[in-house]
Amino acid sequence: MRNKFGNPLAKGKWLPALIVAIAVVLIVAGVLILGIYFYLKLSSPSREKKQEVGNVNPVIAMRVLAGEPVAKTVQIAIPRGELPTARMLLDVDPFMPAKDQLGLRLQLAHSYAAASGRNKEEADGLYREAAAIAFLSPDLTDLMRAQTLLEIGNGYAGMHMKKKALKALDGVQEIAYHSPYLQPAQRVQLIQRLRQIYGAMGKKTLLTIPPGGMLQEARPLPVPLYDEAPLNEPQDLTKAKAARMNAVIKALESGNGWEAVGQALEKEDEIRENACERALKETPQMATRASWIRHRTKWLRIKLLIAQRAFGRSLVPKWEKEIPDIRYRLTKSYEDLYAVYGDQAVALPSSDQVVVGQVEILREELLDGWIGYYPDAPLDEINNDLKSHLRNLKAAGDKGLYPYVDLKGGEPLPFRFAPAGASQ
């Protein structure tokens, strides 16, 4: 059938034009897809870090696998100038106390800031992580949060990153004036320090100290609302850990024997997994279950770093081919952990404690995801849940300050403090 434009199909002229048209469409679609991918990747709040394996000193990093506490090893690496090694080691233990996490990050950030070249980027990343801990961790006093943010603001000011400095200092100002947990003298000290930093930055400030000290007297700090039980490790796991540590020590001393280290790690991994599965099947108590899941989560974090050669050398080549599976299992372990924490919160004796406990758990979960310990954490979902529970706190009459996070705004420091249930 002929149409009003003639019949080019019959003449065979349509094929080259059609091929060109399809090619153009495919190219445009490909460009759009790549653009969307990189936009999402760059704007994503995930803070998972790439390990710079070539810069990690395995002689120092391996001390952790030989049984030395992470914090001690980091303190050894920094004075020796092994900053990338110290940086990697901060990723090893996601359950290090928040106070220690902060102290080590700030110390390392200051060391990077004092160096030259691209070290400024590393300092920036560490200050951002420290700020996330200061805003989100439920395990810090408000005074400690404020002191940390003062140090971060001062660090950013020293690197001429004024916008980030002011963002951190805004948090200090909110705490100084509105936290219910500070003594009058502490409020005065914080405002005086803010004045000094603002002055050094050339910023005019109208911060004043009200007569008589400051606002209200402090009220008692809230108490932790959920806890975990100590683990009773089976004997075969204790022996496997000792065998692995001995193998690492021998390899470090002799410079060889790394194959034996890999074999010991694989054996320990098998025993750990069996012990954890057995314990979770046999243990109904939530606190004990939480401890075992934390145990598994911490090990999977180490296993993932080993698979990524983050300790400076290849240890278990088999794991290096299983990174997606290890990562998936780590994510699932975090999901299980926070599910158990949620069960613990719901089981608290009063409705007020339940709401506060849920808020604490969501703050920790958001922090683990934002820093990158918890891979592929559903940050938007967690953040929305947190806001919802904060509104419940407001309805219950809570007057404390809580963190609010803007995951959509693209801010490098997307945090602020506000009263529970504050409008967004």
Side-chain angles (χ1 to χ4, degrees):
M1 181 176 179
R2 183 181 179 87
N3 60 36
K4 66 179 180 178
F5 297 109
N7 189 13
L9 300 182
K11 299 177 182 178
K13 297 179 180 179
W14 61 275
L15 187 59
L18 181 61
I19 293 174
V20 171
I22 292 173
V24 170
V25 170
L26 290 174
I27 291 171
V28 171
V31 171
L32 287 173
I33 291 171
L34 284 173
I36 292 170
Y37 169 78
F38 283 111
Y39 170 78
L40 292 174
K41 190 169 185 67
L42 290 172
S43 62
S44 169
S46 173
R47 291 295 179 266
E48 187 165 359
K49 297 168 283 295
K50 293 182 179 179
Q51 302 298 337
E52 298 185 36
V53 177
N55 295 327
V56 172
N57 184 337
V59 175
I60 295 178
M62 294 289 180
R63 295 170 68 130
V64 169
L65 297 180
E68 187 170 84
V70 171
K72 181 178 179 180
T73 313
V74 173
Q75 294 283 16
I76 290 171
I78 293 175
R80 297 184 184 183
E82 299 284 357
L83 304 188
T85 302
R87 184 72 183 94
M88 185 282 295
L89 289 169
L90 289 178
D91 294 335
V92 173
D93 186 1
F95 302 113
M96 187 187 300
K99 182 178 179 180
D100 296 336
Q101 293 267 14
L102 277 177
L104 293 174
R105 277 176 168 80
L106 290 174
Q107 183 180 354
L108 185 54
H110 297 337
S111 297
Y112 269 118
S116 57
R118 67 182 298 270
N119 291 299
K120 187 176 181 180
E121 298 174 15
E122 294 291 344
D124 178 24
L126 287 157
Y127 282 135
R128 281 188 284 124
E129 290 184 15
I133 296 170
F135 275 95
L136 291 173
S137 175
D139 299 327
L140 302 170
T141 66
D142 278 0
L143 179 60
M144 189 178 297
R145 297 180 203 284
Q147 290 171 334
T148 298
L149 292 171
L150 279 172
E151 194 167 345
I152 292 169
N154 198 41
Y156 273 132
M159 294 194 300
H160 306 290
M161 295 182 175
K162 185 176 181 179
K163 184 177 180 180
K164 293 177 183 177
L166 293 176
K167 190 71 173 179
L169 297 175
D170 284 346
V172 181
Q173 185 172 330
E174 192 67 30
I175 291 173
Y177 277 98
H178 301 297
S179 169
Y181 302 120
L182 296 182
Q183 298 292 338
Q186 294 171 334
R187 300 179 195 279
V188 171
Q189 290 169 357
L190 290 176
I191 288 185
Q192 289 175 338
R193 186 70 181 114
L194 277 170
R195 286 172 165 176
Q196 292 172 354
I197 298 176
Y198 282 142
M201 293 172 62
K203 175 181 170 59
K204 294 181 180 180
T205 177
L206 299 176
L207 293 178
T208 60
I209 300 173
M214 280 298 282
L215 305 175
Q216 74 270 30
E217 289 281 345
R219 73 186 190 192
L221 285 169
V223 297
L225 295 176
Y226 59 94
D227 205 352
E228 296 168 28
L231 285 181
N232 291 318
E233 292 184 351
Q235 189 174 14
D236 60 344
L237 178 54
T238 301
K239 289 182 178 179
K241 288 169 59 178
R244 178 253 301 170
M245 289 187 281
N246 288 334
V248 173
I249 291 170
K250 289 179 181 179
L252 287 173
E253 290 175 345
S254 65
N256 53 50
W258 295 107
E259 184 177 348
V261 171
Q263 292 170 353
L265 285 165
E266 287 190 89
K267 182 65 174 177
E268 182 181 358
D269 180 54
E270 179 183 354
I271 292 172
R272 278 183 183 273
E273 185 59 30
N274 291 337
C276 187
E277 287 296 320
R278 186 167 58 251
L280 292 175
K281 287 179 181 178
E282 298 173 354
T283 305
Q285 292 86 359
M286 286 186 289
T288 305
R289 291 179 64 82
S291 292
W292 273 107
I293 296 173
R294 275 171 63 107
H295 173 95
R296 181 179 64 192
T297 303
K298 183 175 179 179
W299 174 252
L300 285 170
R301 182 69 189 160
I302 293 172
K303 184 176 180 179
L304 180 61
L305 291 171
I306 291 171
Q308 294 170 335
R309 301 189 185 185
F311 288 90
R313 64 170 300 134
S314 176
L315 292 172
V316 187
K318 177 183 175 183
W319 293 354
E320 294 165 18
K321 302 174 183 177
E322 300 172 353
I323 289 177
D325 178 65
I326 298 170
R327 178 188 171 92
Y328 169 79
R329 290 175 59 208
L330 176 59
T331 299
K332 183 63 170 61
S333 193
Y334 266 107
E335 292 172 357
D336 294 344
L337 179 63
Y338 281 104
V340 173
Y341 282 166
D343 291 341
Q344 286 182 280
V346 171
L348 291 166
S350 74
S351 59
D352 289 346
Q353 286 180 319
V354 169
V355 177
V356 175
Q358 289 170 329
V359 166
E360 287 190 3
I361 292 164
L362 288 165
R363 288 174 67 169
E364 286 188 353
E365 189 173 12
L366 188 59
L367 176 59
D368 281 339
W370 199 88
I371 283 184
Y373 288 136
Y374 179 175
D376 304 316
L379 296 183
D380 286 328
E381 181 181 335
I382 298 167
N383 197 33
N384 289 336
D385 286 347
L386 176 59
K387 292 175 184 177
S388 174
H389 283 89
L390 286 172
R391 287 192 290 270
N392 293 337
L393 278 183
K394 179 183 180 181
D398 191 289
K399 302 298 183 183
L401 290 178
Y402 290 92
Y404 286 83
V405 185
D406 179 10
L407 297 176
K408 305 295 186 183
E411 289 285 340
L413 292 179
F415 312 107
R416 67 185 179 93
F417 287 119
S423 60
Q424 298 303 299

